[in-house]
Amino acid sequence: MKARVLIRPKQGVLDPQGQAVERALPALGFGGASHVRIGRLVELEVDDPSQVPAMCEKLLANPLVEEYEVEVLGDGPVNGSPA
Amino acid sequence: MKARVLIRPKQGVLDPQGQAVERALPALGFGGASHVRIGRLVELEVDDPSQVPAMCEKLLANPLVEEYEVEVLGDGPVNGSPA
């Protein structure tokens, strides 16, 4: 079964990549963009999607500074962010 | 309006991060995971969501080796991958 994990910096955690993008966009002619946050996307095939949150806690995300959201593709979200 | 961009390595492009995760998972007790691909997640507020694909082409993604998917949150997908 295909699963997707969206990993983002927690609110209040500094996101220097997002800040860099936010500053670069106007220089490229794109106005009106704000609140840019950059995270990671993990897509994988798993036999048991219920294992995915544990994979996030142990390997995929850093729960101290990142929140994650697991989606089982085709079956809708199964698990919200732990944050 | 809030927009989300999912950026992934194109099919056929080597994904060393994904390979590393795929090899690490069994060692942590997670069997049955395969086809792990790691990409980036960009979330932002934009006045005009139709600008987002151009932002991807110029700044957010590398169209040579990455494909992207734009979602306008709450309004469903507006633009598929260009790949």
Side-chain angles (χ1 to χ4, degrees):
Chain A
M1 199 171 283
K2 199 170 180 185
R4 173 183 291 166
V5 184
L6 308 177
I7 300 166
R8 3 176 133 73
K10 278 188 185 173
Q11 206 151 28
V13 172
L14 196 68
D15 177 13
Q17 274 192 91
Q19 291 179 337
V21 165
E22 196 164 324
R23 283 180 206 160
L25 285 171
L28 293 169
F30 299 110
S34 63
H35 296 89
V36 182
R37 301 287 276 174
I38 298 193
R40 289 195 308 289
L41 168 72
V42 181
E43 289 180 330
L44 71 172
E45 293 275 345
V46 281
D47 292 343
D48 177 6
S50 71
Q51 285 191 322
V52 178
M55 290 178 188
C56 290
E57 293 285 338
K58 288 201 179 172
L59 181 68
L60 302 179
N62 177 350
L64 283 177
V65 293
E66 293 172 328
E67 58 177 27
Y68 57 83
E69 187 181 335
V70 178
E71 296 173 356
V72 177
L73 299 182
D75 298 326
V78 285
N79 200 308
S81 160
Chain B
M1 200 170 282
K2 198 169 180 185
R4 173 184 291 166
V5 184
L6 308 176
I7 301 167
R8 6 176 131 72
K10 278 189 185 173
Q11 206 151 28
V13 172
L14 197 65
D15 176 12
Q17 274 193 91
Q19 290 179 337
V21 165
E22 196 164 323
R23 282 178 207 162
L25 285 171
L28 293 170
F30 300 110
S34 62
H35 297 89
V36 183
R37 301 287 276 174
I38 298 191
R40 286 196 309 289
L41 167 71
V42 182
E43 289 180 329
L44 72 172
E45 292 276 344
V46 281
D47 292 343
D48 178 5
S50 70
Q51 284 191 322
V52 177
M55 291 178 189
C56 290
E57 293 285 338
K58 287 201 180 173
L59 180 69
L60 303 178
N62 176 349
L64 282 177
V65 293
E66 293 172 328
E67 57 177 27
Y68 58 84
E69 188 180 336
V70 178
E71 296 173 356
V72 177
L73 298 183
D75 299 325
V78 285
N79 199 308
S81 160

